[in-house]
């Protein structure tokens, strides 16, 4: 990986990345776009989390979680978190194009899973926030092509689905920064890097385990959770995952 240093501001935040290369932080404008996309993803995922018991209810048919219904609630969550209506973001701007693609991806994923979600007689259906998140990111990437990338990854030892495996940059950022004991909780790690496709602003938004995660990811390690995966023996407050966003520097 070749570090790319952008004029003027670059000297402000230069950090050593794996291999000793120097990487500048992403520009504030790029960070703002990344934060916006991460917030929309979290806002939509929260709708699935909040409705998990409903989704798992074997007695209930239609769960009222159509693409349109979930998007409406996601937008309300996003507005609450940011004070901004996503509809007000200029559709011709980079952020405007990306966030619209993301909202379309939310609708696509929910609409595609109606038969599963609304099936009567089945309790646990495997439709959980992490799966929803992965599907939305995949649908987003299919829509935006080389314009941006988005993935919900995790420290390598925690990876359940191979599709979520961190790439070299993500693994190094997790190991050398986000997992370090002195890394401030919640602080984003970002870098401007040169990749095969050109320059990228890479932004890593850390997320930590909360008690509700531990029924699947907690103790005892090795015991199968409700989804059939062995639990990782994780603890509250541990780094549980990272929303990883790749953007074309603007
Ligand atoms: C019902 C059990 C369950 C709960 C509760 C749960 N997870 Fe997971 N988690 C899973 C499963 C299953 C996957 C794999 C999903 C897939 O196939 O993409 C997963 C995947 C992930 C991933 C993506 C990387 C990977 O390993 O594939 C992260 C990050 C993650 N979970 C973090 C969390 C956090 C943080 C919470 C709490 C907010 C949480 N999980 C709650 C079961 C659960």
């Amino acid at each position: 990986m070749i570090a790319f240093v952008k004029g003027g501001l670059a000297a402000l935040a230069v950090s050593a990345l794996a291999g000793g290369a120097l990487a500048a932080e992403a520009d504030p404008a790029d960070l703002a776009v990344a934060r916006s996309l991460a917030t929309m993803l979290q806002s939509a995922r929260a709708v699935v989390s909040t409705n998990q018991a409903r989704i798992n209810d074997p007695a209930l048919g239609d769960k009222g979680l159509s693409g349109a219904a979930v998007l409406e609630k996601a937008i309300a969550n996003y507005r609450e978190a940011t004070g901004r209506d996503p509809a007000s973001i200029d559709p011709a701007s980079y952020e405007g194009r990306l966030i619209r693609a993301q909202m379309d991806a939310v609708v696509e994923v929910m609409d595609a899973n109606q038969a599963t979600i609304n099936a009567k007689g089945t309790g646990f259906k495997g439709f959980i926030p992490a799966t929803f998140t992965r599907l939305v990111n995949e649908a987003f990437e299919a829509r935006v092509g080389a314009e941006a990338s988005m993935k919900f990854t995790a420290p390598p030892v925690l990876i359940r689905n191979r599709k979520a495996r961190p790439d070299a940059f993500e693994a190094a950022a997790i190991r050398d920064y986000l997992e370090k004991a002195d890394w401030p909780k919640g602080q984003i790690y970002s870098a401007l890097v040169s990749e095969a496709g050109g320059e990228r602003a890479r932004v890593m938004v850390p997320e930590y385990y909360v008690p509700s995660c531990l029924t699947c990811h907690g103790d005892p390690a090795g015991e199968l959770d409700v989804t059939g995966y062995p639990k990782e023996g994780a603890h509250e407050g541990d780094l549980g995952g990272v929303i990883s966003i790749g953007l074309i520097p603007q």
Side-chain angles (χ1 to χ4, degrees):
M1 183 175 8
I2 303 160
F4 166 70
V5 177
K6 219 172 178 179
L9 286 172
L12 281 180
V14 178
S15 48
L17 196 70
L22 288 178
E25 257 188 52
D27 261 19
D30 301 329
L31 277 174
V33 174
R35 274 184 216 279
S36 173
L37 295 175
T39 302
M40 180 56 81
L41 187 68
Q42 291 164 332
S43 298
R45 185 181 58 192
V47 181
V48 174
S49 295
T50 307
N51 285 283
Q52 189 71 69
R54 195 177 167 77
I55 292 169
N56 294 353
D57 183 349
L60 198 63
D62 186 2
K63 308 297 190 296
L65 294 171
S66 65
V70 169
L71 179 62
E72 193 185 316
K73 294 195 181 82
I75 289 172
N77 289 342
Y78 179 94
R79 288 178 69 140
E80 203 179 304
T82 65
R84 209 159 62 123
D85 185 343
S88 71
I89 304 169
D90 177 4
S93 69
Y94 185 51
E95 181 188 4
R97 288 199 307 275
L98 295 182
I99 203 158
R100 278 172 181 77
Q102 201 185 22
M103 293 191 289
D104 289 345
V106 167
V107 173
E108 178 188 323
V109 169
M110 291 311 298
D111 284 347
N113 283 281
Q114 288 300 298
T116 303
I117 294 167
N118 295 334
K120 261 188 158 175
T122 314
F124 184 69
K125 302 168 183 70
F127 195 81
I128 60 171
T131 305
F132 168 78
T133 302
R134 176 170 55 76
L135 294 173
V136 168
N137 287 337
E138 287 170 5
F140 169 79
E141 289 193 337
R143 285 167 186 273
V144 302
E147 280 227 284
S149 60
M150 202 148 171
K151 178 165 139 196
F152 191 35
T153 187
V157 292
L158 297 179
I159 291 298
R160 292 183 165 204
N161 191 312
R162 289 170 55 83
K163 292 179 177 169
R165 277 183 306 184
D167 67 15
F169 173 87
E170 290 160 340
I174 289 170
R175 186 189 63 229
D176 298 341
Y177 296 95
L178 299 177
E179 262 187 344
K180 286 271 190 264
D182 60 353
W183 186 260
K185 269 268 149 80
Q187 185 169 306
I188 286 175
Y189 175 80
S190 75
L192 281 171
V193 299
S194 280
E195 295 183 349
E199 256 107 42
R200 286 267 154 172
R202 305 234 16 201
V203 182
M204 307 273 287
V205 181
E207 295 195 328
Y208 305 89
Y209 287 124
V210 295
S212 68
C213 315
L214 300 179
T215 51
C216 293
H217 294 287
D219 284 322
E223 183 185 272
L224 297 189
D225 71 13
V226 64
T227 70
Y229 279 92
K231 298 184 190 182
E232 290 86 358
H235 298 108
E236 185 178 354
D238 291 352
L239 181 69
V242 178
I243 299 175
S244 172
I245 300 158
L247 300 173
I248 299 169
Q250 298 299 295

